[in-house]
Amino acid sequence: MIYLDNNATTQVDQRVLQSMLPFLEKFYGNPSGLYRSGRIARSAIETAREQVAELVAADPGQIVFTCSGTEANNLVLKGFSGTAGIAVATTEHPSVLETANIIKQQGRRVEYINVDASGEINLDPLTGLSTQDIGLVSVMLANNETGVLQNIQPLVGFCRRQGIRVHTDAVQAAGKIKINFNNLAVDYMSLSSHKIYGPKGCGALVVAQNSPLSPLLTGGSQEQGMRAGTENVAAIVGFGQAAEIARQTLDARTQKLLELRKFLETGLLKIPELVIFALDSERLPNTVQFGIAGIEGEMLLMQLDQKGIAVSSGSACKSGGKTASHVLLAMGVSPALAKSAVRVSLGQYNTLAEVEDFLASLKELLEMMKPIDYS
Ligand code: PLP
């Protein structure tokens, strides 16, 4: 299989797997236990906390482990304050947008921040808002579909002046670009393990000092009372190991991904009528989303699958559905072109030969597929 869907999830690094096994086989004690195997598990969690913190230049005490990036997003949006309203960008991940929807149904104010054609937010809609009862703004660092990077600094400055808290979903950005949590000056940041060659079902919310938060799950006093429940020790250890490797190899990985992306984009742009979305925007080094008017993205995806190539038509949660990408629609892309979207997200295990094979298969399929006339 040629796996080109690394924004959906990544293959677990062998070193990560090896680091996890002792905590499934031998040190299975409850990390709250006072006996030896419990203490070893506790100590491993604290090491992982340091490793994850270091990846984003945060303090270990600011890390709250969760069971996913989705949970981290839910925790902050539902738990930051009782009644205050929120503002979210229109291109956020469903774990933010759907949560915002629920908050709206509960009678709290929800505002949406638009992006321009390049996928970037501009401050104008926000500065035009009455921000009186807005308590939190949530804007992602990197988009999972287009890879567009947001420069959130002006937004953070604006919010700080208004006394509004800021959350950023860095699930796709972490491990792919350098992040400094304290320099970004946001209050909250979400992370996920399985996007960086760690295990699935593990994430974190980074919480700045004095930023309010109420837990979603109550019970034991784990994670400073912010996330009750016996910790998934092996997954947390794996997340820590993955974060450590990502930090140490960030520059080399970025270099390699940029080379592969350049090769891929050069090949794609030779295909008539093909459009690479947000081509001129600052993007993640591994992500390319493209479309060809009249070609159904889902259909192309299935044909590629038959050739043993895994890509996505947008966010993983939408695979199987036929709705056009909300991210592309928010950027003003026509529904017909948005429906043709295919996302290629490269990873550290991909090779130039695989990208070449992908391009050859794509061209072959496009020659066979008849464009659909949407008019
Ligand atoms: N946020 C973004 C930007 C994502 O891309 C994803 C996953 O695709 C998530 C949040 C959710 O993370 P998880 O899969 O750990 O729940």
Side-chain angles (χ1 to χ4, degrees):
M1 174 179 63
I2 299 181
Y3 185 76
L4 301 173
D5 199 16
N6 288 275
N7 283 7
T9 196
T10 55
Q11 183 183 343
V12 172
D13 188 307
Q14 274 304 313
R15 293 163 289 182
V16 168
L17 179 63
Q18 291 310 316
S19 74
M20 293 171 65
L21 290 178
F23 296 92
L24 293 166
E25 291 173 338
K26 201 167 164 207
F27 305 118
Y28 49 78
N30 190 314
S32 298
L34 298 178
Y35 38 82
R36 183 167 176 270
S37 75
R39 291 198 311 274
I40 291 172
R42 163 66 47 214
S43 157
I45 289 176
E46 295 317 315
T47 303
R49 199 182 304 284
E50 284 167 21
Q51 291 167 317
V52 171
E54 213 166 335
L55 176 65
V56 294
D59 303 325
Q62 295 173 321
I63 304 291
V64 175
F65 283 118
T66 62
C67 274
S68 61
T70 297
E71 187 190 323
N73 284 343
N74 272 259
L75 175 58
V76 62
L77 294 188
K78 291 176 179 163
F80 93 99
S81 168
T83 54
I86 60 170
V88 300
T90 47
T91 50
E92 295 300 304
H93 187 263
S95 55
V96 167
L97 288 177
E98 285 304 314
T99 308
N101 217 2
I102 286 169
I103 288 172
K104 197 172 178 176
Q105 284 163 18
Q106 290 167 345
R108 277 162 68 182
R109 184 175 166 209
V110 176
E111 294 289 345
Y112 293 92
I113 306 170
N114 292 324
V115 298
D116 57 24
S118 66
E120 288 156 35
I121 53 162
N122 51 62
L123 268 180
D124 292 352
L126 191 63
T127 47
L129 273 185
S130 123
T131 51
Q132 240 172 13
D133 53 350
I134 297 288
L136 180 83
V137 166
S138 178
V139 170
M140 67 204 329
L141 265 193
N143 187 269
N144 44 302
E145 293 190 29
T146 56
V148 167
L149 299 176
Q150 292 294 344
N151 171 17
I152 63 167
Q153 231 57 82
L155 176 89
V156 174
F158 170 79
C159 291
R160 285 255 161 270
R161 289 192 292 280
Q162 306 278 326
I164 301 170
R165 306 276 176 183
V166 184
H167 164 246
T168 191
D169 175 346
V171 164
Q172 290 295 342
K176 297 183 189 135
I177 59 167
K178 262 203 177 77
I179 297 177
N180 187 312
F181 176 73
N182 288 318
N183 284 357
L184 274 177
V186 294
D187 295 279
Y188 315 95
M189 176 188 278
S190 301
L191 304 171
S192 177
S193 155
H194 72 110
K195 311 289 185 182
I196 60 165
Y197 312 96
K200 293 168 185 57
C202 191
L205 185 69
V206 193
V207 185
Q209 227 169 9
N210 301 324
S211 298
L213 191 69
S214 307
L216 277 186
L217 301 181
T218 47
S221 59
Q222 291 93 348
E223 296 304 299
Q224 306 166 60
M226 283 303 128
R227 207 283 176 186
T230 304
E231 298 90 338
N232 185 349
V233 182
I236 291 173
V237 167
F239 185 15
Q241 184 67 35
E244 169 91 28
I245 297 168
R247 183 179 60 80
Q248 286 172 352
T249 57
L250 187 68
D251 290 344
R253 278 185 186 177
T254 304
Q255 192 57 34
K256 176 186 167 170
L257 290 171
L258 281 174
E259 276 164 27
L260 290 181
R261 196 186 79 176
K262 191 164 176 222
F263 184 78
L264 171 63
E265 289 183 343
T266 307
L268 286 175
L269 289 171
K270 285 185 189 145
I271 297 173
E273 317 273 327
L274 185 144
V275 179
I276 295 180
F277 300 115
L279 179 64
D280 297 324
S281 307
E282 286 279 327
R283 278 174 297 137
L284 289 172
N286 76 322
T287 309
V288 181
Q289 194 180 33
F290 64 89
I292 308 164
I295 298 286
E296 186 85 56
E298 292 276 337
M299 187 68 81
L300 188 52
L301 184 150
M302 286 186 290
Q303 302 278 345
L304 284 163
D305 180 44
Q306 302 239 313
K307 288 180 172 284
I309 299 174
V311 294
S312 156
S313 63
S315 67
C317 319
K318 285 215 211 85
S319 291
K322 284 225 178 342
T323 49
S325 147
H326 72 283
V327 175
L328 295 175
L329 294 181
M331 289 162 61
V333 173
S334 73
L337 188 56
K339 273 197 165 186
S340 75
V342 169
R343 178 188 69 185
V344 175
S345 47
L346 302 157
Q348 62 159 326
Y349 301 120
N350 289 130
T351 61
L352 206 60
E354 286 182 327
V355 178
E356 257 175 339
D357 280 358
F358 165 73
L359 284 168
S361 297
L362 179 66
K363 281 177 202 157
E364 206 180 296
L365 287 172
L366 288 174
E367 270 161 31
M368 281 162 32
M369 284 172 88
K370 266 180 104 156
I372 300 165
D373 185 1
Y374 285 103
S375 60

